[in-house]
Amino acid sequence: MKKKLFVLLTGISLFSLTSEAKAEYFEINRMQTDVAVHENGTMAVGEMINLTFKEPRHGIYRDIDTQGIKIKVTGVENQDGKPWNYALENFDRGTRVKIGDADKFVDGLQAYQINYDVTKGGIRFFDDHDELYWNATGTEWPVGIGEAGAVIRLPDGIDEKDIKLACYTGAFGSDAEKCSGEIINGVVTFQATAPLSAYEGLTVVVGFPKGVIVLPPPPKWLPFLMLFLTLLALGIALEPLYGYIRRGRDPRGKGTIFAQYDPPDKLIPAEMGTLLDEKADMRDITSTIIDLAVHGYLAIKEIPDTKSWIFKKTDYELARTEPKLKNAHPLSPFEEKLMQNVFGGAKVINISDLEQKFYTHVPGLKTTLYENLVQRGYFPKSPEKVRANHLVKGIVLTFIGFSAPGFELATFGTAFSFCLLINGILSLVFAWFMPRKTEEGKLAHEHVLGFKLYLNTAEKDRLRFQENENLFYEFLPYAMTLGIAKQWGEKFKGLYKNAPDWYEGSGPFSMPVFVGRLENAASRMQNAFASQPPHSSGGSGFSGGFSGGGGGGGG
C-alpha cells in the first residue's frame, strides 16, 4: 500500500573549506533512530549515525525536513557522549545541522548522535485512532545505508493488541516493505531487512488508540485572543465599507428638491455636470464649448461632407469672436484653458484638425475642473485623486491577497491575506463612491437637481423665454450636460424662427432639428477630443532592435 511520506526527508553531504564532498568520501554503516512519544504529543528524537570516512574530512551535514512540524535541536554527541561542534542553518525545506570543525579533520569510523525535540506536528490525529508516521532515515542520503532501524517508545499503559504497525522502504513514493516490526515489553522496534541504496529510506508507522495523547487545554486567554483576531480580520476585510460610511457619504443637505430657475452659484455647464455625478465627462467639456458660443466667445459653422456618398461626416468650424453681450461672464480658469487648448494661437480651426491631437489636453482639463470645484468649497478633495488612491490601494491589496495565502498559511498558520483580498476587492468597488461633497457642495447639488426639474417643466413659463430669447440659449448647454437637450428643444418647438447668430448651418430652421444638429456637433467634438493616434507596429529588428522588442515571447 502506497503511503505518502510526510516529514524528515533528509540528505547528507560532507563539507570542507573549498568544496562540497562527494558520495565516495564516506559510507553509512548504520543509522538507528530512537523516538520517545510523550503524552502531550511532543517527541524526543535521537538519531545515531555510524559512518566511515574514506579520507580525512571536516564533518557532515544533516538536513531535517521540517515541513509540517516544528523542532528544536538540543545537541550532537559522539559514541562516548562527548559533544560535537555544530551549527544550525536554514535550507529550503527545513533545518540543516552542520556538524564538525573547519580547523580539524576526522577520518575512519565516526558516530554522530543528533538529538532534537519535536514540539509540534509529530503526531497525526484521526477519528478512530492516532498515529506516528515517521521517516526514520529519510530518502535523500547520497550513499547507501548498511543497516537501518528505529525504536519507538509510546506512553505507558497501552495494551499491545491495540497497537498497529507498518513500515516501508525504498525511494520516495515506494510501497516496498523490506522491513519488519515487533513489540517487546511495550517498545516498538523496526528493522530494514536489506541494505538501503542511495536515496532510499526507512519509514515507520505506529497506530494507537485515541486518548493516549492528551493535548494540553488552551490557555484561558486564547478565546479572547481569537475573538480579537476575528474582529481584527473582519475590520480589515470590511474597512472599505466602514470608510465609505465615515468618509464617502455626502452630508444630508435639505433632503427636498424644489424647482430652481437658474444654475447654482453661476456654475458653468462643465462645473455643474462634474458636481452632479462627481466625474468630469467629455460631455461636460463639449457642452462648455456650446456655452462659450452662446456667450459670444466663438462661432460654430457646419462644413458639409462633399466627398462621401453614403456615410457623410459633417465637420465643424470654430472661430474665435469677441463677446457682444454686455453681461458676458468673464472666463473661468477652466474656460480659458479650454479655449487655449482648442485654438492655440489660431483664430479659426476645424474640429477635424483636433483629431488625434487634443486628447493630450483632456487629463489637464479634467484636473482643472476638479481643482476649481475644490477651491469653491464643493469637495474637500479632488474626486479624481480620491478615486485613484482607492483604486491603487485595491489593486495592491487584491494582488497581495491572491499571491500570499499559501505562503502565509504555511509560514504563520493565519489567513489575514484573505482579508486583504476582500479589502482589495471592496476598495475597487467603493473607489467610485468614495468622493464626497461638502455641505455647501451638497446644497449646490440639490440646486442642480432643482434646476433640472425646472428645465423639464419649462413649457409652463414660455412667456419668460419669449421675452428673452437668449435666456433659452443660455440654458441650452446646461440641458445638454444634463442629458435633456432633446426634451428641451421639443418643449419650445415653433417658438423661435431662426438660428442664433453664433451658429451657421444649412436647411430650414426648427428648434428640434437645430438642437439635434447641435448635439451632433457636440458628439463630433467628443470623438475628436478623445481620439488617439493608432499604435505603431514596431521598428525593424535590424535597426535598433533589442531583446524582448519583437512580437510574441513572454516569460
Side-chain angles (χ1 to χ4, degrees):
M1 180 175 59
K2 188 173 183 179
K3 298 283 188 177
K4 184 179 179 182
L5 298 183
F6 176 52
V7 292
L8 293 189
L9 300 178
T10 61
I12 187 170
S13 61
L14 307 180
F15 64 88
S16 67
L17 293 177
T18 57
S19 65
E20 296 280 342
K22 296 182 180 179
E24 61 266 23
Y25 293 151
F26 71 99
E27 60 185 11
I28 299 178
N29 307 317
R30 178 173 177 78
M31 182 170 178
Q32 179 75 24
T33 299
D34 190 298
V35 180
V37 179
H38 304 309
E39 292 182 350
N40 63 359
T42 63
M43 305 188 315
V45 180
E47 299 176 350
M48 174 58 77
I49 305 172
N50 297 98
L51 56 82
T52 301
F53 287 105
K54 297 180 180 180
E55 62 179 64
R57 308 301 293 178
H58 291 286
I60 66 169
Y61 292 153
R62 172 67 168 100
D63 288 347
I64 305 174
D65 191 327
T66 59
Q67 297 179 103
I69 68 170
K70 186 176 181 180
I71 72 167
K72 179 181 180 181
V73 177
T74 57
V76 181
E77 302 172 344
N78 63 15
Q79 65 272 22
D80 299 323
K82 295 181 179 180
W84 280 106
N85 183 57
Y86 74 94
L88 302 179
E89 298 177 352
N90 294 324
F91 75 109
D92 57 349
R93 295 186 310 281
T95 299
R96 169 170 292 173
V97 186
K98 187 176 180 180
I99 310 170
D101 194 324
D103 297 326
K104 296 180 181 179
F105 286 92
V106 292
D107 195 6
L109 294 174
Q110 299 292 334
Y112 297 89
Q113 172 77 25
I114 304 172
N115 300 315
Y116 55 92
D117 294 330
V118 180
T119 59
K120 180 181 179 182
I123 303 298
R124 292 184 173 189
F125 300 93
F126 299 92
D127 292 338
D128 58 348
H129 75 286
D130 298 334
E131 71 179 37
L132 170 67
Y133 187 5
W134 200 250
N135 297 310
T137 63
T139 58
E140 295 187 2
W141 296 98
V143 297
I145 301 175
E147 297 180 11
V151 174
I152 311 300
R153 307 175 194 277
L154 298 174
D156 296 334
I158 307 176
D159 194 329
E160 290 186 3
K161 70 176 185 300
D162 294 329
I163 301 176
K164 297 180 180 180
L165 307 182
C167 61
Y168 307 95
T169 56
F172 180 84
S174 170
D175 57 3
E177 299 180 3
K178 296 181 181 180
C179 53
S180 61
E182 60 179 345
I183 306 173
I184 302 176
N185 297 326
V187 178
V188 182
T189 302
F190 293 95
Q191 185 68 39
T193 56
L196 302 174
S197 300
Y199 301 104
E200 290 186 342
L202 169 65
T203 297
V204 301
V205 186
V206 180
F208 45 88
K210 296 194 71 64
V212 174
I213 302 299
V214 180
L215 298 178
K220 294 182 180 181
W221 48 261
L222 184 60
F224 299 100
L225 176 61
M226 296 306 297
L227 177 61
F228 170 76
L229 292 177
T230 301
L231 294 176
L232 178 62
L234 186 63
I236 292 174
L238 300 181
E239 182 273 333
L241 176 59
Y242 303 145
Y244 169 72
I245 293 174
R246 295 195 314 269
R247 302 185 301 274
R249 294 190 298 180
D250 289 340
R252 294 182 62 88
K254 293 181 179 179
T256 305
I257 305 302
F258 300 98
Q260 302 290 342
Y261 301 102
D262 52 14
D265 302 335
K266 298 183 179 180
L267 292 177
I268 62 174
E271 293 171 336
M272 191 186 76
T274 304
L275 176 66
L276 183 65
D277 58 8
E278 299 173 344
K279 296 176 187 147
D281 301 318
M282 198 65 72
R283 184 170 63 181
D284 299 328
I285 296 175
T286 55
S287 65
T288 299
I289 294 286
I290 307 302
D291 188 59
L292 288 169
V294 170
H295 287 88
Y297 286 97
L298 59 87
I300 304 173
K301 179 181 179 181
E302 291 183 14
I303 304 178
D305 187 348
T306 58
K307 298 180 181 179
S308 303
W309 289 90
I310 301 176
F311 301 105
K312 292 185 176 297
K313 190 176 181 182
T314 303
D315 199 358
Y316 295 88
E317 177 189 276
L318 302 180
R320 297 193 73 147
T321 58
E322 292 297 330
K324 300 176 182 178
L325 299 178
K326 295 181 180 180
N327 62 343
H329 68 271
L331 295 181
S332 69
F334 170 77
E335 291 171 315
E336 288 181 353
K337 190 168 188 175
L338 178 59
M339 291 287 284
Q340 177 62 32
N341 292 161
V342 170
F343 289 102
K347 292 291 184 181
V348 178
I349 192 167
N350 291 346
I351 295 300
S352 58
D353 295 333
L354 302 175
E355 291 178 345
Q356 301 180 13
K357 299 175 183 177
F358 190 86
Y359 74 96
T360 59
H361 301 302
V362 172
L365 286 169
K366 291 183 176 182
T367 299
T368 300
L369 264 179
Y370 290 125
E371 290 176 350
N372 287 350
L373 292 173
V374 171
Q375 290 174 2
R376 296 187 68 161
Y378 296 131
F379 294 104
K381 294 181 181 179
S382 166
E384 179 182 45
K385 293 181 180 178
V386 171
R387 277 191 294 268
N389 290 340
H390 282 81
L391 285 173
V392 170
K393 170 194 168 189
I395 292 171
V396 171
L397 293 185
T398 301
F399 175 78
I400 294 174
F402 269 120
S403 306
F407 171 79
E408 181 195 5
L409 189 61
T411 306
F412 304 106
T414 59
F416 277 96
S417 55
F418 181 70
C419 300
L420 296 182
L421 174 61
I422 297 176
N423 185 300
I425 294 174
L426 290 179
S427 294
L428 293 175
V429 172
F430 278 95
W432 307 103
F433 306 100
M434 287 305 294
R436 67 183 299 271
K437 304 176 188 70
T438 62
E439 184 70 35
E440 184 177 355
K442 179 62 177 178
L443 294 176
H445 177 263
E446 291 178 338
H447 190 127
V448 171
L449 296 178
F451 183 51
K452 182 177 181 180
L453 176 65
Y454 168 65
L455 294 181
N456 270 322
T457 59
E459 72 271 19
K460 297 179 181 179
D461 198 14
R462 290 165 62 94
L463 289 177
R464 181 184 182 210
F465 292 93
Q466 195 168 7
E467 294 172 358
N468 184 359
E469 178 179 342
N470 199 62
L471 189 61
F472 171 83
Y473 290 113
E474 281 188 16
F475 287 173
L476 179 56
Y478 294 95
M480 294 178 69
T481 199
L482 292 172
I484 58 173
K486 183 177 180 181
Q487 299 92 311
W488 176 251
E490 287 288 345
K491 293 180 187 300
F492 293 86
K493 184 177 181 180
L495 183 61
Y496 305 123
K497 304 300 182 183
N498 299 302
D501 58 2
W502 48 264
Y503 188 89
E504 181 180 342
S506 58
F509 175 85
S510 74
M511 184 57 68
V513 172
F514 169 71
V515 172
R517 288 179 174 175
L518 208 58
E519 286 205 301
N520 182 68
S523 177
R524 182 78 170 85
M525 293 179 205
Q526 290 178 34
N527 293 333
F529 290 175
S531 65
Q532 299 184 26
H535 294 292
S536 171
S537 61
S540 167
F542 296 101
S543 176
F546 58 89
S547 175

